[in-house]
Amino acid sequence: MKLSIAVVQFNPVRDNIKKNIRKLRRLLTGIKSDLVVLPELANTGYLYATPEDLLPLAEPQDGSGAFLTTLRELAAQTGGLIVSGYAEVAEGKLLNAAAAVTQDGVIANYRKTHLFDHEKALYSSGDTGFQIVEWQGVKIGMMICFDWIFPEAARTLALKGAQIIAHPANLVLPYCQNAMITRSIENQVFTVTANRVGKEHLDNLHLTFTGQSQVTTPGGKILYRGPTRKESVHVVEIDPERAVNKRLNTNNDLFEDRRSSLYEID
Ligand code: ACM
């Protein structure tokens, strides 16, 4: 079985959802793909001083806001599922979330489990747990950016059956792309990191996002690594069946060999 995946790397403009929507429409023109992965906070950009600054731009997960409505249209156009990071509002609280969107609407919503640095001053901690969506018979798990540094995130998704980990990101540290190779190998899954590019400044804080969006195979091969600074859309084809079997040789199965009772700490 073949599944096509489009990895979208762009520079979301802070405080300008209309412009970000226009950009995504342009980037996805002519793209047909079973799965499209967009960066973290693709609707709003990243740096905000206070929750009050970001709240008016955030959307409910029911898909009634401008950004998720557009993703629904774009899913109809690309012919598949779109996983995108976005700023979510729920009961007055802000969440750093990822939605899985088809032409029929939002089919799953994940709220970032591990908030990075000053995100803790903006967002409530994610309360959904790690989410899997089944699409065209393939299990796709979601995690967001800094979740990468906690191996438990990818492990939990893999134990729940994820064959592909869709990973919207706004990376600023230089380690993740290499770490995702290990996440692939240790879980025998595909990973798709859609990272943003560009710079943002707020007071004395200057961030440069690292690009290099990436797709890795269960064997740890880099199927694609994008440019560092440029916006790009790249489509790869994978066989998701390759992520089902966790057996490394006749004597080792990655999941059957786990000794979870010995991993507990009193
Ligand atoms: C990050 O989690 N956006 C670094």
PDB file of all heavy atoms in Angstrom, residues 87-108:
ATOM      1  N   ALA A  87      -3.854  27.539  17.517  1.00  0.00           N
ATOM      2  CA  ALA A  87      -4.183  28.023  18.862  1.00  0.00           C
ATOM      3  C   ALA A  87      -5.674  27.788  19.070  1.00  0.00           C
ATOM      4  O   ALA A  87      -6.500  28.282  18.304  1.00  0.00           O
ATOM      5  CB  ALA A  87      -3.842  29.500  18.976  1.00  0.00           C
ATOM      6  N   GLU A  88      -5.988  27.011  20.107  1.00  0.00           N
ATOM      7  CA  GLU A  88      -7.382  26.640  20.383  1.00  0.00           C
ATOM      8  C   GLU A  88      -7.884  27.405  21.614  1.00  0.00           C
ATOM      9  O   GLU A  88      -7.115  27.671  22.543  1.00  0.00           O
ATOM     10  CB  GLU A  88      -7.448  25.130  20.674  1.00  0.00           C
ATOM     11  CG  GLU A  88      -8.864  24.628  20.959  1.00  0.00           C
ATOM     12  CD  GLU A  88      -8.914  23.230  21.584  1.00  0.00           C
ATOM     13  OE1 GLU A  88      -7.890  22.523  21.636  1.00  0.00           O
ATOM     14  OE2 GLU A  88     -10.019  22.874  22.061  1.00  0.00           O
ATOM     15  N   VAL A  89      -9.157  27.757  21.597  1.00  0.00           N
ATOM     16  CA  VAL A  89      -9.784  28.286  22.812  1.00  0.00           C
ATOM     17  C   VAL A  89     -10.912  27.334  23.208  1.00  0.00           C
ATOM     18  O   VAL A  89     -11.675  26.860  22.366  1.00  0.00           O
ATOM     19  CB  VAL A  89     -10.305  29.735  22.608  1.00  0.00           C
ATOM     20  CG1 VAL A  89     -11.321  29.826  21.484  1.00  0.00           C
ATOM     21  CG2 VAL A  89     -10.881  30.295  23.907  1.00  0.00           C
ATOM     22  N   ALA A  90     -10.944  27.030  24.520  1.00  0.00           N
ATOM     23  CA  ALA A  90     -12.010  26.167  25.054  1.00  0.00           C
ATOM     24  C   ALA A  90     -12.334  26.660  26.452  1.00  0.00           C
ATOM     25  O   ALA A  90     -11.452  26.730  27.307  1.00  0.00           O
ATOM     26  CB  ALA A  90     -11.559  24.715  25.106  1.00  0.00           C
ATOM     27  N   GLU A  91     -13.574  27.027  26.667  1.00  0.00           N
ATOM     28  CA  GLU A  91     -14.032  27.550  27.965  1.00  0.00           C
ATOM     29  C   GLU A  91     -13.116  28.666  28.458  1.00  0.00           C
ATOM     30  O   GLU A  91     -12.701  28.674  29.630  1.00  0.00           O
ATOM     31  CB  GLU A  91     -14.117  26.419  28.990  1.00  0.00           C
ATOM     32  CG  GLU A  91     -15.233  25.447  28.661  1.00  0.00           C
ATOM     33  CD  GLU A  91     -15.076  24.109  29.356  1.00  0.00           C
ATOM     34  OE1 GLU A  91     -14.134  23.963  30.161  1.00  0.00           O
ATOM     35  OE2 GLU A  91     -15.901  23.231  29.070  1.00  0.00           O
ATOM     36  N   GLY A  92     -12.753  29.557  27.564  1.00  0.00           N
ATOM     37  CA  GLY A  92     -11.944  30.718  27.938  1.00  0.00           C
ATOM     38  C   GLY A  92     -10.470  30.422  28.109  1.00  0.00           C
ATOM     39  O   GLY A  92      -9.667  31.322  28.355  1.00  0.00           O
ATOM     40  N   LYS A  93     -10.089  29.137  27.971  1.00  0.00           N
ATOM     41  CA  LYS A  93      -8.676  28.777  28.151  1.00  0.00           C
ATOM     42  C   LYS A  93      -7.989  28.597  26.801  1.00  0.00           C
ATOM     43  O   LYS A  93      -8.611  28.164  25.826  1.00  0.00           O
ATOM     44  CB  LYS A  93      -8.561  27.460  28.930  1.00  0.00           C
ATOM     45  CG  LYS A  93      -8.898  27.615  30.401  1.00  0.00           C
ATOM     46  CD  LYS A  93      -8.480  26.408  31.189  1.00  0.00           C
ATOM     47  CE  LYS A  93      -9.287  25.186  30.825  1.00  0.00           C
ATOM     48  NZ  LYS A  93      -9.216  24.100  31.795  1.00  0.00           N
ATOM     49  N   LEU A  94      -6.694  28.907  26.780  1.00  0.00           N
ATOM     50  CA  LEU A  94      -5.912  28.731  25.559  1.00  0.00           C
ATOM     51  C   LEU A  94      -5.213  27.383  25.574  1.00  0.00           C
ATOM     52  O   LEU A  94      -4.649  26.981  26.603  1.00  0.00           O
ATOM     53  CB  LEU A  94      -4.826  29.796  25.496  1.00  0.00           C
ATOM     54  CG  LEU A  94      -5.194  31.142  24.905  1.00  0.00           C
ATOM     55  CD1 LEU A  94      -4.027  32.108  25.095  1.00  0.00           C
ATOM     56  CD2 LEU A  94      -5.522  30.992  23.421  1.00  0.00           C
ATOM     57  N   LEU A  95      -5.221  26.720  24.417  1.00  0.00           N
ATOM     58  CA  LEU A  95      -4.528  25.449  24.294  1.00  0.00           C
ATOM     59  C   LEU A  95      -3.657  25.498  23.041  1.00  0.00           C
ATOM     60  O   LEU A  95      -4.067  26.069  22.023  1.00  0.00           O
ATOM     61  CB  LEU A  95      -5.522  24.294  24.107  1.00  0.00           C
ATOM     62  CG  LEU A  95      -6.393  23.772  25.259  1.00  0.00           C
ATOM     63  CD1 LEU A  95      -5.591  23.539  26.524  1.00  0.00           C
ATOM     64  CD2 LEU A  95      -7.591  24.638  25.488  1.00  0.00           C
ATOM     65  N   ASN A  96      -2.481  24.904  23.139  1.00  0.00           N
ATOM     66  CA  ASN A  96      -1.635  24.731  21.962  1.00  0.00           C
ATOM     67  C   ASN A  96      -2.011  23.351  21.411  1.00  0.00           C
ATOM     68  O   ASN A  96      -1.681  22.330  22.011  1.00  0.00           O
ATOM     69  CB  ASN A  96      -0.170  24.807  22.403  1.00  0.00           C
ATOM     70  CG  ASN A  96       0.786  24.699  21.242  1.00  0.00           C
ATOM     71  OD1 ASN A  96       0.483  24.100  20.231  1.00  0.00           O
ATOM     72  ND2 ASN A  96       1.972  25.265  21.412  1.00  0.00           N
ATOM     73  N   ALA A  97      -2.733  23.325  20.289  1.00  0.00           N
ATOM     74  CA  ALA A  97      -3.404  22.091  19.865  1.00  0.00           C
ATOM     75  C   ALA A  97      -3.034  21.694  18.439  1.00  0.00           C
ATOM     76  O   ALA A  97      -2.454  22.479  17.686  1.00  0.00           O
ATOM     77  CB  ALA A  97      -4.913  22.275  19.966  1.00  0.00           C
ATOM     78  N   ALA A  98      -3.382  20.452  18.105  1.00  0.00           N
ATOM     79  CA  ALA A  98      -3.277  19.974  16.713  1.00  0.00           C
ATOM     80  C   ALA A  98      -4.612  19.342  16.356  1.00  0.00           C
ATOM     81  O   ALA A  98      -5.145  18.525  17.115  1.00  0.00           O
ATOM     82  CB  ALA A  98      -2.153  18.958  16.563  1.00  0.00           C
ATOM     83  N   ALA A  99      -5.140  19.725  15.196  1.00  0.00           N
ATOM     84  CA  ALA A  99      -6.402  19.156  14.734  1.00  0.00           C
ATOM     85  C   ALA A  99      -6.137  18.272  13.523  1.00  0.00           C
ATOM     86  O   ALA A  99      -5.298  18.594  12.686  1.00  0.00           O
ATOM     87  CB  ALA A  99      -7.372  20.269  14.354  1.00  0.00           C
ATOM     88  N   ALA A 100      -6.876  17.161  13.471  1.00  0.00           N
ATOM     89  CA  ALA A 100      -6.882  16.316  12.267  1.00  0.00           C
ATOM     90  C   ALA A 100      -8.184  16.628  11.545  1.00  0.00           C
ATOM     91  O   ALA A 100      -9.271  16.423  12.091  1.00  0.00           O
ATOM     92  CB  ALA A 100      -6.802  14.851  12.655  1.00  0.00           C
ATOM     93  N   VAL A 101      -8.051  17.160  10.323  1.00  0.00           N
ATOM     94  CA  VAL A 101      -9.214  17.722   9.622  1.00  0.00           C
ATOM     95  C   VAL A 101      -9.411  17.035   8.271  1.00  0.00           C
ATOM     96  O   VAL A 101      -8.457  16.902   7.497  1.00  0.00           O
ATOM     97  CB  VAL A 101      -9.007  19.242   9.377  1.00  0.00           C
ATOM     98  CG1 VAL A 101     -10.244  19.874   8.760  1.00  0.00           C
ATOM     99  CG2 VAL A 101      -8.646  19.960  10.670  1.00  0.00           C
ATOM    100  N   THR A 102     -10.644  16.611   8.003  1.00  0.00           N
ATOM    101  CA  THR A 102     -11.002  16.111   6.673  1.00  0.00           C
ATOM    102  C   THR A 102     -11.989  17.106   6.063  1.00  0.00           C
ATOM    103  O   THR A 102     -12.377  18.082   6.716  1.00  0.00           O
ATOM    104  CB  THR A 102     -11.695  14.733   6.731  1.00  0.00           C
ATOM    105  OG1 THR A 102     -12.993  14.916   7.298  1.00  0.00           O
ATOM    106  CG2 THR A 102     -10.908  13.747   7.566  1.00  0.00           C
ATOM    107  N   GLN A 103     -12.452  16.778   4.863  1.00  0.00           N
ATOM    108  CA  GLN A 103     -13.436  17.683   4.246  1.00  0.00           C
ATOM    109  C   GLN A 103     -14.733  17.715   5.061  1.00  0.00           C
ATOM    110  O   GLN A 103     -15.535  18.628   4.915  1.00  0.00           O
ATOM    111  CB  GLN A 103     -13.691  17.282   2.801  1.00  0.00           C
ATOM    112  CG  GLN A 103     -14.257  15.904   2.634  1.00  0.00           C
ATOM    113  CD  GLN A 103     -14.498  15.574   1.162  1.00  0.00           C
ATOM    114  OE1 GLN A 103     -14.403  16.428   0.290  1.00  0.00           O
ATOM    115  NE2 GLN A 103     -14.804  14.319   0.892  1.00  0.00           N
ATOM    116  N   ASP A 104     -14.919  16.723   5.929  1.00  0.00           N
ATOM    117  CA  ASP A 104     -16.141  16.703   6.748  1.00  0.00           C
ATOM    118  C   ASP A 104     -15.978  17.431   8.082  1.00  0.00           C
ATOM    119  O   ASP A 104     -16.938  17.553   8.832  1.00  0.00           O
ATOM    120  CB  ASP A 104     -16.568  15.246   7.012  1.00  0.00           C
ATOM    121  CG  ASP A 104     -16.896  14.534   5.713  1.00  0.00           C
ATOM    122  OD1 ASP A 104     -17.479  15.189   4.823  1.00  0.00           O
ATOM    123  OD2 ASP A 104     -16.534  13.349   5.573  1.00  0.00           O
ATOM    124  N   GLY A 105     -14.763  17.846   8.409  1.00  0.00           N
ATOM    125  CA  GLY A 105     -14.561  18.581   9.660  1.00  0.00           C
ATOM    126  C   GLY A 105     -13.438  17.983  10.498  1.00  0.00           C
ATOM    127  O   GLY A 105     -12.653  17.166  10.018  1.00  0.00           O
ATOM    128  N   VAL A 106     -13.373  18.421  11.775  1.00  0.00           N
ATOM    129  CA  VAL A 106     -12.301  17.987  12.680  1.00  0.00           C
ATOM    130  C   VAL A 106     -12.653  16.590  13.201  1.00  0.00           C
ATOM    131  O   VAL A 106     -13.709  16.394  13.798  1.00  0.00           O
ATOM    132  CB  VAL A 106     -12.176  18.980  13.860  1.00  0.00           C
ATOM    133  CG1 VAL A 106     -11.156  18.485  14.885  1.00  0.00           C
ATOM    134  CG2 VAL A 106     -11.792  20.363  13.344  1.00  0.00           C
ATOM    135  N   ILE A 107     -11.748  15.613  12.973  1.00  0.00           N
ATOM    136  CA  ILE A 107     -12.053  14.250  13.441  1.00  0.00           C
ATOM    137  C   ILE A 107     -11.261  13.880  14.696  1.00  0.00           C
ATOM    138  O   ILE A 107     -11.558  12.889  15.339  1.00  0.00           O
ATOM    139  CB  ILE A 107     -11.866  13.178  12.344  1.00  0.00           C
ATOM    140  CG1 ILE A 107     -10.435  13.158  11.804  1.00  0.00           C
ATOM    141  CG2 ILE A 107     -12.867  13.394  11.204  1.00  0.00           C
ATOM    142  CD1 ILE A 107     -10.147  11.944  10.907  1.00  0.00           C
ATOM    143  N   ALA A 108     -10.234  14.669  15.038  1.00  0.00           N
ATOM    144  CA  ALA A 108      -9.521  14.436  16.302  1.00  0.00           C
ATOM    145  C   ALA A 108      -8.793  15.718  16.675  1.00  0.00           C
ATOM    146  O   ALA A 108      -8.414  16.504  15.802  1.00  0.00           O
ATOM    147  CB  ALA A 108      -8.527  13.293  16.159  1.00  0.00           C
TER     148      ALA A 108
END
